């Protein structure tokens, strides 16, 4: 199975009544969410088990696994994902 990154959650809660507020991205520049997507990918990479820590059933995160999960086009989230794997 290919790795699926969690989508960015652009909601927040305001106290005292915990009302939910959605971020309206229509008025923001098109590149405004690139860094959040990068950090989301890095968090996904850090959540995976480092090499040597997985059970034989789970498999290892090797070169072939990384190439298999490479997206067809360049994505900021994938770049962050590779950084997260490198930080392990």
């Amino acid at each position: 199975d290919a790795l699926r990154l969690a989508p960015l959650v652009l909601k927040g809660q305001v106290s005292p009544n915990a009302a939910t507020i959605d971020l309206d991205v229509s008025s923001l520049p098109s590149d405004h969410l690139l860094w959040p997507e990068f950090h989301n990918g890095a968090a996904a990479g850090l959540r995976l088990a480092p090499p040597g820590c997985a059970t034989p059933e789970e498999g290892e995160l090797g070169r072939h696994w990384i190439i298999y999960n490479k997206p067809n086009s360049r994505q900021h989230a994938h770049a962050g994902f590779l950084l997260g794997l490198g930080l392990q």
Side-chain angles (χ1 to χ4, degrees):
D1 290 330
L3 178 70
R4 295 184 187 186
L5 299 178
L8 283 176
V9 178
L10 302 175
K11 297 180 181 186
Q13 290 187 340
V14 180
S15 57
N17 58 0
T20 302
I21 298 176
D22 292 325
L23 177 63
D24 180 20
V25 295
S26 63
S27 62
L28 300 174
S30 61
D31 64 347
H32 189 74
L33 294 178
L34 298 182
W35 277 110
E37 288 177 6
F38 178 86
H39 291 289
N40 192 36
L46 290 170
R47 279 193 301 264
L48 296 176
C53 294
T55 64
E57 296 82 29
E58 293 172 336
E60 288 288 326
L61 296 179
R63 179 175 180 255
H64 298 290
W65 187 88
I66 293 171
I67 291 172
Y68 175 74
N69 283 289
K70 180 181 176 186
N72 294 331
S73 62
R74 291 185 179 184
Q75 297 177 357
H76 294 85
H78 183 68
F81 175 71
L82 293 176
L83 173 71
L85 290 179
L87 291 175
Q88 291 190 1

